[in-house]
Amino acid sequence: MVSDTTTTLAARFPRWLVLLLSLLSLAVLFGPGLVEHMQNAANPYAFNNDARMQIFPLLRYWDGELLQDDYVADYFLGVMLPHGYSLFYGALAQVFDPRNVSIVLPYILLALTTAMVAAAAHKVSGATAAWCAAAFCLAADMYLGGMVGGLPRAFGKPVMAMVVLGLVYGNTALLIAATLIGAAFYFTAGAVAGLCLATYLLLFPPSWRSDGGAWSWPRRLVLVGITGVLAIVIVSPTLIEARAYGPSLTVDQADAYPEAGIGGRYKTHPMPPAFGLPRLENLTAAAAVTMRAFRAREAFRSGDPLGGEDLYGFAEANLVAITVIVMSLTAVGTLMSLGNPAVRRLLIVPAVGLLLLFLAYALSPYLYFPNRPIGLTFPIVAGILFPTALIAILRRVYGGRLRRLLVPPTVIALSLVVVFLLGGRNTVVSLDQYDSADGPVYDHVAELPTDAMIAGSPGDLMDNMSYLTGRSMLVGFEVHQAFHKNYVEEMRRRMMAVIDALYADNTDPLIALHDAWGVTHFIVDKRFYDRDDPKYFKPFDEAIAAAESSLNGTPAVLRQDAYTTVFADGDIVVVDVAALVADQTSND
């Protein structure tokens, strides 16, 4: 059922004119902010922090000499990056640098997502709802913010938009396509899409389905089964390769593997237990994440963060209250709209999100962190249901001729109020700015042989190294994940060896790094020694503290001569470990 507000608009204006005016108005409101975001993303030292672990392995496809025999790159390509995603970047890497693709791709995905969400809203409640839903996609930072960096999660929202579009139109083919694309590019989205397909075909009565209403139960079951088998085939290479890195860790193993517990790699968010239910904060996060369907970190017309004390004269508490009102109106209007089969089908999405919140614990790390299914499902549905709910409520308020005249402008006006009060035009969302003053050391490392292996003091300097230079990195915080037992043990050995080298009063630990892992250069940021505790995470903070207490004077790594210290700029020192080994060998 399409609202009579659409028939009014269609009767007065040609469809092409309505579409053109809608696009122009959205471009005026959000175009300048998107252009500024693009300009900021073009800064070589402004990028999403997760690109440092998920984009750098793809440089192997861009230049076949880079990252060869790189354990960390092998792990991410084999286990952490879906194979469809890697093949996609690999194909483009024949022409384009993956880092450049990762900068441009988010804007393409945002356009596709906005178009599909608007089309779904149009099917549910007409042109007015379509414009409002598109505005929310562009106003809330969670859409573009989740896509910046061109990471696997960037495909989550487009896949969910395809799911939503398939459900409101009752198009089984779209749901199947979304399931398989999700399996290839972002596992969580694939799981959501697959469960939505199964719910739609197997649990909904024929009168609630659009296509497939007359299909027999065996036919529908076979279709779901075939789709599931294909999805498993797509993800199976990742599952098979993961076996080489050992079983998944749980918080129950935190005594032996503190990296997986409180204070470990994920600080206050440990790995899930082997058997357990979501914590209370995971459940309440469903409401908090839904609020982000309308919210951004920065004001629409000012740079003041919403977390500040005042915004347009509204305190943060008032902004939360406004959001609660928006959600309440959405709930009431949605109940009033349940006579619309498209609305009933749309509600499959948040229901599946809640289910996957529980399943994420059993399927760690592929659906973990647990809030990701909620972040994929609740907001995108809320952005469609809010204007739909307003239309349903206002049609009860206005009667007769007034309904056709006043419902569209009132819904748009109320949506604009929400956009201006809660939405945003965040021109730096998900772009982390790193110190351009460190550029000379990156330039130096980028000129090293392609088989160079870099180690050094933990921090942004090391975390950025492989992404900015294409050279292999022994260990760094971003790549130091705590999902699989063997990988965790290897990273522990590497990090402990780095700590030894940072605090030793002789060069033996540096030489040991070369002998064990082929480290050719060791980079020290002197600021690391001045940082307050903790400097890393469990169990390494205790090792760092012990090494600090036993150190007398300047560590050997900072006492190298001009022959082995091949770069020095301010606080940054680069030691040529290979030269140090060669020098020791010649002396022997």
Side-chain angles (χ1 to χ4, degrees):
M1 180 182 73
V2 177
S3 163
D4 57 4
T5 60
T6 297
T7 58
T8 300
L9 289 172
R12 294 190 174 191
F13 306 103
R15 288 187 176 180
W16 66 266
L17 182 59
V18 173
L19 177 61
L20 178 61
L21 291 175
S22 298
L23 292 176
L24 286 175
S25 60
L26 291 171
V28 168
L29 285 172
F30 303 105
L34 284 172
V35 170
E36 189 173 345
H37 192 282
M38 294 176 189
Q39 293 171 341
N40 291 329
N43 180 346
Y45 297 105
F47 45 87
N48 186 268
N49 67 324
D50 286 340
R52 302 182 292 181
M53 62 174 169
Q54 296 182 349
I55 296 299
F56 93 85
L58 303 168
L59 295 175
R60 181 182 289 178
Y61 302 131
W62 168 244
D63 184 339
E65 295 184 359
L66 296 178
L67 307 172
Q68 297 303 308
D69 300 319
D70 187 316
Y71 179 83
V72 174
D74 290 344
Y75 175 73
F76 276 88
L77 287 173
V79 179
M80 302 305 291
L81 299 180
H83 279 55
Y85 173 86
S86 297
L87 289 173
F88 172 78
Y89 265 91
L92 292 177
Q94 305 309 306
V95 181
F96 304 107
D97 186 328
R99 292 168 294 195
N100 294 335
V101 173
S102 72
I103 293 172
V104 175
L105 182 63
Y107 306 105
I108 299 173
L109 295 178
L110 178 64
L112 291 173
T113 300
T114 303
M116 287 188 285
V117 169
H122 188 279
K123 172 64 175 177
V124 174
S125 292
T128 302
W131 187 93
C132 296
F136 291 136
C137 285
L138 299 172
D141 68 2
M142 68 170 304
Y143 291 93
L144 178 59
M147 299 172 186
V148 169
L151 312 176
R153 65 171 177 255
F155 293 87
K157 288 296 188 299
V159 170
M160 289 315 306
M162 187 181 295
V163 169
V164 165
L165 189 62
L167 284 173
V168 299
Y169 275 92
N171 189 316
T172 302
L174 274 177
L175 295 175
I176 293 173
T179 301
L180 300 181
I181 293 172
F185 286 85
Y186 188 53
F187 298 146
T188 304
V192 172
L195 286 174
C196 286
L197 170 68
T199 302
Y200 172 68
L201 285 182
L202 303 181
L203 300 183
F204 265 36
S207 61
W208 289 18
R209 298 195 300 271
S210 181
D211 65 354
W215 294 352
S216 66
W217 169 262
R219 179 180 178 182
R220 287 179 279 131
L221 187 62
V222 167
L223 187 59
V224 171
I226 291 175
T227 304
V229 169
L230 290 176
I232 291 173
V233 169
I234 291 172
V235 303
S236 60
T238 298
L239 301 177
I240 292 171
E241 291 190 43
R243 296 170 61 184
Y245 298 94
S248 298
L249 294 179
T250 69
V251 73
D252 305 324
Q253 298 167 282
D255 288 343
Y257 297 95
E259 296 94 331
I262 295 291
R265 172 59 177 82
Y266 309 108
K267 305 300 181 181
T268 59
H269 300 281
M271 299 302 296
F275 302 97
L277 299 176
R279 300 186 302 274
L280 177 61
E281 57 264 34
N282 295 135
L283 297 173
T284 57
V289 170
T290 305
M291 291 165 63
R292 292 183 60 202
F294 312 105
R295 296 195 58 181
R297 296 174 188 167
E298 289 188 289
F300 185 79
R301 292 182 299 179
S302 78
D304 296 330
L306 283 177
E309 294 180 358
D310 186 79
L311 174 69
Y312 302 130
F314 289 93
E316 172 72 5
N318 291 334
L319 294 175
V320 173
I322 292 171
T323 308
V324 171
I325 292 172
V326 168
M327 294 174 64
S328 300
L329 289 172
T330 302
V332 171
T334 299
L335 289 174
M336 297 170 62
S337 304
L338 287 178
N340 185 343
V343 172
R344 293 197 294 267
R345 294 194 293 266
L346 187 59
L347 292 176
I348 293 174
V349 177
V352 166
L354 279 175
L355 174 62
L356 283 177
L357 176 63
F358 289 81
L359 290 181
Y361 278 74
L363 298 177
S364 170
Y366 303 106
L367 297 181
Y368 191 77
F369 296 97
N371 287 345
R372 287 180 181 174
I374 296 296
L376 277 179
T377 55
F378 275 55
I380 202 166
V381 172
I384 296 173
L385 289 181
F386 176 63
T388 297
L390 288 180
I391 290 171
I393 293 171
L394 291 173
R395 289 184 65 202
R396 299 286 184 92
V397 174
Y398 298 126
R401 186 178 180 83
L402 287 177
R403 175 188 300 171
R404 295 188 175 185
L405 291 175
L406 296 181
V407 168
T410 304
V411 171
I412 291 174
L414 290 174
S415 296
L416 283 175
V417 168
V418 172
V419 166
F420 273 84
L421 289 180
L422 301 181
R425 190 166 57 186
N426 191 342
T427 59
V428 294
V429 60
S430 292
L431 290 174
D432 299 285
Q433 178 68 51
Y434 298 100
D435 193 352
S436 60
D438 294 333
V441 69
Y442 298 128
D443 294 338
H444 174 80
V445 173
E447 295 299 322
L448 295 175
T450 55
D451 61 351
M453 169 64 79
I454 313 300
S457 53
D460 284 336
L461 184 70
M462 279 303 301
D463 285 334
N464 295 342
M465 195 59 62
S466 291
Y467 176 83
L468 289 176
T469 70
R471 300 304 182 264
S472 295
M473 175 177 58
L474 185 70
V475 63
F477 180 84
E478 285 297 326
V479 300
H480 197 154
Q481 299 297 311
F483 292 119
H484 295 95
K485 175 178 176 290
N486 294 356
Y487 184 81
V488 168
E489 290 175 348
E490 175 63 19
M491 289 297 103
R492 183 186 294 181
R493 285 190 290 269
R494 294 182 176 205
M495 190 61 208
M496 289 300 187
V498 167
I499 294 171
D500 288 343
L502 281 169
Y503 291 98
D505 60 3
N506 58 68
T507 58
D508 290 348
L510 285 173
I511 295 171
L513 284 171
H514 178 274
D515 294 343
W517 294 286
V519 171
T520 59
H521 294 80
F522 196 90
I523 301 177
V524 181
D525 184 342
K526 297 177 184 178
R527 292 167 291 190
F528 173 78
Y529 296 100
D530 300 327
R531 288 170 52 189
D532 296 329
D533 291 336
K535 295 186 176 182
Y536 205 58
F537 56 83
K538 290 182 178 180
F540 307 100
D541 290 332
E542 291 183 3
I544 291 173
E548 280 184 328
S549 64
S550 62
L551 177 64
N552 292 315
T554 304
V557 71
L558 297 179
R559 291 189 277 107
Q560 299 306 301
D561 57 27
Y563 175 66
T564 53
T565 301
V566 293
F567 178 92
D569 182 20
D571 292 315
I572 311 301
V573 174
V574 179
V575 175
D576 188 335
V577 180
L580 180 66
V581 172
D583 183 55
Q584 185 189 60
T585 301
S586 64
N587 291 334
D588 293 342

